[in-house]
Amino acid sequence: MDKVLIVCGAGASSTFLALRLRRVARDRDLDLIVEAGTLPDVDERLAATRVLLVGPHLSAQFEELDSRARAAGARAALLPDTVFGPDGAEIAADIVTGLLALPRGPQNIAQG
């Protein structure tokens, strides 16, 4: 089972997206644990995380978050602006499956 952590500023947007992404993961038969988080708790949660999804409004901090994710052995992606729309959970699921399919290594992606 792979853990996905979605972060936004205060956690409200990421919580909503995490709920929707859990449903999509279940529908796609993906073995994921999806959690929401905030910027202050990222570091303590990265060790157990395989994929870090970063809200589009945090694009200015993505490079730093990406570096922290890499240091913890996680992959990171900056979510596109459309992720909080009606198809956002499907978009996020596609990003997660794409990251999980990459060979182990430093490749992370920025969307948007």
Side-chain angles (χ1 to χ4, degrees):
M1 187 165 290
D2 294 308
K3 182 176 170 188
V4 177
L5 178 62
I6 304 170
V7 295
C8 67
S13 298
S14 58
T15 298
F16 180 66
L17 181 58
L19 289 170
R20 293 174 46 218
L21 181 52
R22 283 184 205 122
R23 278 188 293 239
V24 170
R26 189 173 43 249
D27 291 346
R28 291 187 184 188
D29 206 23
L30 301 173
D31 200 14
L32 300 177
I33 296 171
V34 182
E35 297 180 350
T38 62
L39 283 176
D41 67 356
V42 166
D43 288 326
E44 68 187 52
R45 297 176 73 187
L46 273 176
T49 298
R50 180 96 188 274
V51 173
L52 174 67
L53 298 179
V54 180
H57 50 287
L58 298 177
S59 62
Q61 289 115 325
F62 179 71
E63 195 171 314
E64 176 192 341
L65 291 166
D66 178 49
S67 177
R68 289 157 59 185
R70 289 173 192 245
R75 300 191 183 272
L78 179 63
L79 294 167
D81 292 333
T82 57
V83 78
F84 298 115
D87 296 324
E90 295 285 344
I91 293 167
D94 290 343
I95 292 168
V96 169
T97 55
L99 285 172
L100 292 173
L102 291 172
R104 295 274 185 187
Q107 308 97 330
N108 286 337
I109 58 173
Q111 299 289 316

